[in-house]
Every structure is written in structure tokens, then in C-alpha cells.
Amino acid sequence: TLTRPVHNAILPQLAETPEQLTAANASSSMVEGLGVLVGPGFVALTLGVLGLSGVLLVMAASMLGAVVCATRLRVLEDPVSADEEPPPISVMRDAMHGIRELRREPGATLLLIVGGSQYFLIGLLDVLYAVLAIELLAVGGSGVGLLSSTFGVGCLAGAAGAVALAGRGRLSAAMSLGLAACGLTLALTGAAGRLGPVLALIFVCGAARSVFDVAARTLLQRAIPDDVLARVFGLQEALLMLGLAAGSAAAPILTEAFGDTGAILFAGLLLIVVAFGCWPWLRRIDARAVVPGPELTLLRRIPIFAPLPEHVAEELSWHLIPSDVPRGAVVIREGDAGDRFYVIVDGTADVSIAGAPVRSLGPGDHFGEIALLRNVPRTATVRAGSPLRLLALERDEFLAAVTGSRRALARAHAVADRRLHAGGA
């Protein structure tokens, strides 16, 4: 419970494209499912060879190996100057920051609640497996393990298949359909009557749950700012554990109230209602979280921004300011203070220094970075050679993105040096 929120918060910084982020979430879900599936068998084998102490030593060694791997990760952190003390650690303050972010973005709260419903399902299944195996299928206690393993295999297959979501811009449909499929297959297991069909339905239920989990996790990573993402995932972890406990507690109550078959049917229908009841809000979250493609693609083609992690580039694209400039108008003037960085979408611009022409710029070219990086007045004048369509970044947004990445900062200064050497803006 301590590592998973951090794991989910770091993935967006390591991914370089939206496709990589979705694939990373799918891979994480697949590896987690594989661990749950293989772990008990591995313990049984190790226990017979090394004994109890040997099992614990192997576990400790594997955790140490994970620590060694984690030390190789390089993630972006808020820079702290030499004369500035880092803020003291406060669990309560950090938790309140996460809660405030959820209040600012109600859609994220809904994502957490809907995400918690999957663990309510798992808590239910922990108890209902016994109802299915012993009461309805009459296959005895061994059937409980078989149903649980089948669900795990389904989760593993679903996580592998969820890689197909990597190319999708919008994920709300995958979330709702995945949760609805979980509910539908669960509801049908109570009436299936035979072990074969029940195993098939449980397998599909597990696969649908993984699709839902990957889509929900990716959408939450897109919707929440990075500086509070770990805190929000920490709150989600608490909600997941609460959902797990609530599901386990609700199973015997539902069985007592509706009978064995009725309890399973009720649990499945509940998930379907949650899936379609939340559909309109999930669509709105999805629409706000997805970044329009052309702006992001244009930024990615600029060498300065190419090294930025995908989540930083996406956030930067949100701050782009479109503007239209008529032919002959001055965009920046030599000697003025620098306040913006510009990218040309359409049209041409002429660069001059002390009135002498230097070069022309066209679509995809950029200018204005020297004054921002070096904190000096504008080094050249840029005038619209034709009607211009521009995208602009304010000084603070540009510097925050570039200085947060060593590679991006190095490239930006290299570009500035070349232009200063050749004479430019």
C-alpha cells in the first residue's frame, strides 16, 4: 500500500507518449496479476525445499532487488535552490493537498469512487467464490481455488489485451464497458448452473476488470496535476482497501437477504448500474483530460521540447495561446523585454537585427527563447511576412517546462547559442 501510489504517480514521468503510458499501466496490471497467480505456487515449492525461513529470505532478497532497481529511476522533482530549505514532510498536509485537488476537480473524485468499485467486486468475490463452488456448483472447497485462479488468469489476459487501449485518445468508453462487462458476467454466473460455463464467465469477468482498471488508472493520471498525483493515488489506495473490506462484509448480508443466486445477481447488477450511471460524467472527464493532437504534435517536433516526458508536454500544450498576426505587424521588437515564446503554425516571418534582414521563418519554426533563457532584452525583431498564425507560451510556463528537464534545458541553450552566433531571435 505504500509503494503502489508512488508507482502509479511515477509512470507518467517515465512514459514519453500517451501510448507508452497506457501500455505501461497495462503491463503493471499484468505483472501484478501474474504475481498474484504465481506467488502462492512459488511459496509452496520454496517452502518444501528451503522451509519457512527460506521463504522469508527469498522474499527479502526479492524486495532488496526491487530497491536496487528503483534506485536507477530518474524522475522530475521540483528544483530547490541552494539557499532554500526543502519543505518538511507532513503526511497530514500532503493528504489535505490531495483532498483539495479532488475538490477542485470533482471528476477525479468520481474516478476514485468508480475505481473503488472494482475492489468492492473483488471483496464480494472472495466470499461468493465459496457460495458458487460449495452451494451452487457442489464442487467442494477445491472449487473455490479453481474459481479464484480462473479470475486471476482472466485478469492477466485482460491486462495483456488492454495494451490495445494505447492508441485510444479517450478511455471513458473502455472504463464503462469494462465495468459493465464485469457486472454482466458476474450476474450470469449465478444462473449458469455448471462448472464449465461458470469458469468461462469468471474468466471474462477478470479480463473485463483489468481493462477497466487500466483505463481508469490512465485517465486519472491524465486528469490530475503531477505535483499532487502521488497524494491522490494514496487516497485511492485507502479507498480501494475500504472497497475490499466493504465487499467482503456485504457478501454475507446479500446472501442472507436475497439467497445465493440472488446475491450474485444483485452484485452484478450493481456494477452495471454504476457503470452506466457514471457514463456521462466520465465522458466529460475524458474530454477535458485528452489533449488536442495538433498542438501536442507541433510541440513534439521542436527540438527543445522533444526530451520532455509526455505528461509535461501535454500540460505545456494546455498553456498554448493562439493568435493571428496581420502581414507587416511586429511580433517582437529588438530591445524589448521578453515575455513569450512563439511557434509558427502557418505563414512566414522575417527576422532582422538593427534593421538588417537575417533570415525567414515558416511553419514549425519558433522564436523568442533567447530573451527568456538568458534573461536579456530581445536580440532581434520578428515581423510577419504574411498573415501569421502563432501559438505562444508565457515566460513562466516555458521556463518551468524547460528547466525541469536537463536534456531539454541543454538543447534550449544549444539552440540559443547557435542563434546568437548566427544572429537571431
Side-chain angles (χ1 to χ4, degrees), residues 167-190:
R168 295 179 61 88
R170 301 185 185 275
L171 299 170
S172 55
M175 278 187 64
S176 295
L177 292 176
L179 191 59
C182 276
L184 179 61
T185 51
L186 179 60
L188 291 175
T189 55

mmCIF file of all heavy atoms in Angstrom, residues 167-190:
data_model
loop_
_atom_site.group_PDB
_atom_site.id
_atom_site.type_symbol
_atom_site.label_atom_id
_atom_site.label_comp_id
_atom_site.label_asym_id
_atom_site.label_seq_id
_atom_site.Cartn_x
_atom_site.Cartn_y
_atom_site.Cartn_z
ATOM 1 N N GLY A 167 -3.592 3.119 -28.217
ATOM 2 C CA GLY A 167 -3.816 4.029 -29.327
ATOM 3 C C GLY A 167 -5.063 4.874 -29.196
ATOM 4 O O GLY A 167 -5.354 5.683 -30.070
ATOM 5 N N ARG A 168 -5.816 4.718 -28.104
ATOM 6 C CA ARG A 168 -7.074 5.431 -27.943
ATOM 7 C C ARG A 168 -6.847 6.743 -27.210
ATOM 8 O O ARG A 168 -6.173 6.802 -26.197
ATOM 9 C CB ARG A 168 -8.075 4.586 -27.154
ATOM 10 C CG ARG A 168 -8.503 3.313 -27.879
ATOM 11 C CD ARG A 168 -9.479 2.533 -27.026
ATOM 12 N NE ARG A 168 -10.679 3.299 -26.751
ATOM 13 C CZ ARG A 168 -11.751 3.321 -27.535
ATOM 14 N NH1 ARG A 168 -11.747 2.614 -28.643
ATOM 15 N NH2 ARG A 168 -12.805 4.033 -27.228
ATOM 16 N N GLY A 169 -7.430 7.816 -27.762
ATOM 17 C CA GLY A 169 -7.354 9.088 -27.065
ATOM 18 C C GLY A 169 -8.291 9.143 -25.887
ATOM 19 O O GLY A 169 -7.982 9.698 -24.845
ATOM 20 N N ARG A 170 -9.477 8.544 -26.036
ATOM 21 C CA ARG A 170 -10.487 8.605 -24.987
ATOM 22 C C ARG A 170 -10.680 7.228 -24.376
ATOM 23 O O ARG A 170 -10.724 6.226 -25.073
ATOM 24 C CB ARG A 170 -11.803 9.144 -25.560
ATOM 25 C CG ARG A 170 -11.644 10.551 -26.159
ATOM 26 C CD ARG A 170 -12.977 11.125 -26.619
ATOM 27 N NE ARG A 170 -12.788 12.399 -27.276
ATOM 28 C CZ ARG A 170 -12.708 13.572 -26.641
ATOM 29 N NH1 ARG A 170 -12.813 13.599 -25.328
ATOM 30 N NH2 ARG A 170 -12.524 14.683 -27.297
ATOM 31 N N LEU A 171 -10.829 7.216 -23.054
ATOM 32 C CA LEU A 171 -10.835 5.958 -22.325
ATOM 33 C C LEU A 171 -12.120 5.720 -21.541
ATOM 34 O O LEU A 171 -12.280 4.668 -20.936
ATOM 35 C CB LEU A 171 -9.646 5.928 -21.350
ATOM 36 C CG LEU A 171 -8.264 6.014 -21.991
ATOM 37 C CD1 LEU A 171 -7.204 6.222 -20.917
ATOM 38 C CD2 LEU A 171 -7.967 4.766 -22.796
ATOM 39 N N SER A 172 -13.025 6.695 -21.519
ATOM 40 C CA SER A 172 -14.237 6.549 -20.709
ATOM 41 C C SER A 172 -15.088 5.380 -21.188
ATOM 42 O O SER A 172 -15.705 4.680 -20.374
ATOM 43 C CB SER A 172 -15.048 7.845 -20.724
ATOM 44 O OG SER A 172 -15.341 8.248 -22.058
ATOM 45 N N ALA A 173 -15.134 5.148 -22.495
ATOM 46 C CA ALA A 173 -15.937 4.037 -23.006
ATOM 47 C C ALA A 173 -15.365 2.706 -22.533
ATOM 48 O O ALA A 173 -16.113 1.807 -22.115
ATOM 49 C CB ALA A 173 -15.983 4.084 -24.534
ATOM 50 N N ALA A 174 -14.043 2.559 -22.560
ATOM 51 C CA ALA A 174 -13.410 1.323 -22.087
ATOM 52 C C ALA A 174 -13.688 1.115 -20.600
ATOM 53 O O ALA A 174 -13.928 -0.011 -20.154
ATOM 54 C CB ALA A 174 -11.911 1.368 -22.349
ATOM 55 N N MET A 175 -13.661 2.210 -19.824
ATOM 56 C CA MET A 175 -13.960 2.100 -18.402
ATOM 57 C C MET A 175 -15.381 1.588 -18.172
ATOM 58 O O MET A 175 -15.600 0.616 -17.444
ATOM 59 C CB MET A 175 -13.815 3.466 -17.727
ATOM 60 C CG MET A 175 -12.417 3.860 -17.344
ATOM 61 S SD MET A 175 -12.428 5.383 -16.384
ATOM 62 C CE MET A 175 -13.322 4.858 -14.925
ATOM 63 N N SER A 176 -16.339 2.256 -18.772
ATOM 64 C CA SER A 176 -17.743 1.907 -18.532
ATOM 65 C C SER A 176 -18.069 0.514 -19.047
ATOM 66 O O SER A 176 -18.738 -0.274 -18.361
ATOM 67 C CB SER A 176 -18.659 2.945 -19.195
ATOM 68 O OG SER A 176 -18.500 4.207 -18.590
ATOM 69 N N LEU A 177 -17.598 0.189 -20.251
ATOM 70 C CA LEU A 177 -17.887 -1.127 -20.808
ATOM 71 C C LEU A 177 -17.190 -2.232 -20.025
ATOM 72 O O LEU A 177 -17.745 -3.319 -19.827
ATOM 73 C CB LEU A 177 -17.480 -1.174 -22.278
ATOM 74 C CG LEU A 177 -18.315 -0.308 -23.229
ATOM 75 C CD1 LEU A 177 -17.753 -0.361 -24.643
ATOM 76 C CD2 LEU A 177 -19.776 -0.746 -23.221
ATOM 77 N N GLY A 178 -15.955 -1.958 -19.556
ATOM 78 C CA GLY A 178 -15.250 -2.949 -18.757
ATOM 79 C C GLY A 178 -15.977 -3.244 -17.455
ATOM 80 O O GLY A 178 -16.148 -4.406 -17.062
ATOM 81 N N LEU A 179 -16.434 -2.181 -16.770
ATOM 82 C CA LEU A 179 -17.146 -2.375 -15.513
ATOM 83 C C LEU A 179 -18.494 -3.048 -15.753
ATOM 84 O O LEU A 179 -18.910 -3.930 -14.984
ATOM 85 C CB LEU A 179 -17.336 -1.033 -14.812
ATOM 86 C CG LEU A 179 -17.827 -1.086 -13.364
ATOM 87 C CD1 LEU A 179 -16.856 -1.870 -12.496
ATOM 88 C CD2 LEU A 179 -18.020 0.321 -12.807
ATOM 89 N N ALA A 180 -19.189 -2.638 -16.819
ATOM 90 C CA ALA A 180 -20.479 -3.259 -17.136
ATOM 91 C C ALA A 180 -20.308 -4.737 -17.478
ATOM 92 O O ALA A 180 -21.132 -5.579 -17.089
ATOM 93 C CB ALA A 180 -21.144 -2.516 -18.294
ATOM 94 N N ALA A 181 -19.249 -5.066 -18.208
ATOM 95 C CA ALA A 181 -18.993 -6.472 -18.551
ATOM 96 C C ALA A 181 -18.692 -7.291 -17.296
ATOM 97 O O ALA A 181 -19.103 -8.446 -17.181
ATOM 98 C CB ALA A 181 -17.831 -6.567 -19.537
ATOM 99 N N CYS A 182 -17.963 -6.681 -16.340
ATOM 100 C CA CYS A 182 -17.740 -7.351 -15.053
ATOM 101 C C CYS A 182 -19.076 -7.699 -14.402
ATOM 102 O O CYS A 182 -19.287 -8.830 -13.930
ATOM 103 C CB CYS A 182 -16.950 -6.436 -14.110
ATOM 104 S SG CYS A 182 -15.179 -6.470 -14.329
ATOM 105 N N GLY A 183 -19.952 -6.701 -14.346
ATOM 106 C CA GLY A 183 -21.241 -6.915 -13.702
ATOM 107 C C GLY A 183 -22.097 -7.935 -14.423
ATOM 108 O O GLY A 183 -22.737 -8.786 -13.788
ATOM 109 N N LEU A 184 -22.124 -7.874 -15.746
ATOM 110 C CA LEU A 184 -22.965 -8.781 -16.515
ATOM 111 C C LEU A 184 -22.514 -10.225 -16.362
ATOM 112 O O LEU A 184 -23.339 -11.126 -16.123
ATOM 113 C CB LEU A 184 -22.946 -8.376 -17.991
ATOM 114 C CG LEU A 184 -23.771 -9.259 -18.944
ATOM 115 C CD1 LEU A 184 -25.247 -9.233 -18.562
ATOM 116 C CD2 LEU A 184 -23.566 -8.814 -20.391
ATOM 117 N N THR A 185 -21.219 -10.462 -16.505
ATOM 118 C CA THR A 185 -20.727 -11.842 -16.392
ATOM 119 C C THR A 185 -20.893 -12.374 -14.978
ATOM 120 O O THR A 185 -21.205 -13.551 -14.782
ATOM 121 C CB THR A 185 -19.246 -11.923 -16.813
ATOM 122 O OG1 THR A 185 -18.495 -10.912 -16.110
ATOM 123 C CG2 THR A 185 -19.088 -11.696 -18.301
ATOM 124 N N LEU A 186 -20.704 -11.507 -13.974
ATOM 125 C CA LEU A 186 -20.917 -11.941 -12.599
ATOM 126 C C LEU A 186 -22.379 -12.300 -12.369
ATOM 127 O O LEU A 186 -22.686 -13.323 -11.733
ATOM 128 C CB LEU A 186 -20.477 -10.841 -11.630
ATOM 129 C CG LEU A 186 -20.671 -11.131 -10.140
ATOM 130 C CD1 LEU A 186 -19.890 -12.363 -9.727
ATOM 131 C CD2 LEU A 186 -20.262 -9.924 -9.298
ATOM 132 N N ALA A 187 -23.287 -11.476 -12.885
ATOM 133 C CA ALA A 187 -24.715 -11.754 -12.707
ATOM 134 C C ALA A 187 -25.115 -13.078 -13.347
ATOM 135 O O ALA A 187 -25.953 -13.817 -12.817
ATOM 136 C CB ALA A 187 -25.543 -10.607 -13.290
ATOM 137 N N LEU A 188 -24.491 -13.414 -14.471
ATOM 138 C CA LEU A 188 -24.856 -14.641 -15.186
ATOM 139 C C LEU A 188 -24.301 -15.894 -14.528
ATOM 140 O O LEU A 188 -24.828 -16.991 -14.746
ATOM 141 C CB LEU A 188 -24.354 -14.564 -16.633
ATOM 142 C CG LEU A 188 -25.052 -13.535 -17.533
ATOM 143 C CD1 LEU A 188 -24.374 -13.493 -18.894
ATOM 144 C CD2 LEU A 188 -26.533 -13.861 -17.677
ATOM 145 N N THR A 189 -23.247 -15.767 -13.707
ATOM 146 C CA THR A 189 -22.659 -16.961 -13.098
ATOM 147 C C THR A 189 -23.622 -17.664 -12.157
ATOM 148 O O THR A 189 -23.606 -18.891 -12.032
ATOM 149 C CB THR A 189 -21.376 -16.607 -12.317
ATOM 150 O OG1 THR A 189 -21.684 -15.585 -11.348
ATOM 151 C CG2 THR A 189 -20.285 -16.117 -13.242
ATOM 152 N N GLY A 190 -24.471 -16.876 -11.488
ATOM 153 C CA GLY A 190 -25.399 -17.488 -10.558
ATOM 154 C C GLY A 190 -26.406 -18.387 -11.230
ATOM 155 O O GLY A 190 -26.931 -19.324 -10.612
#
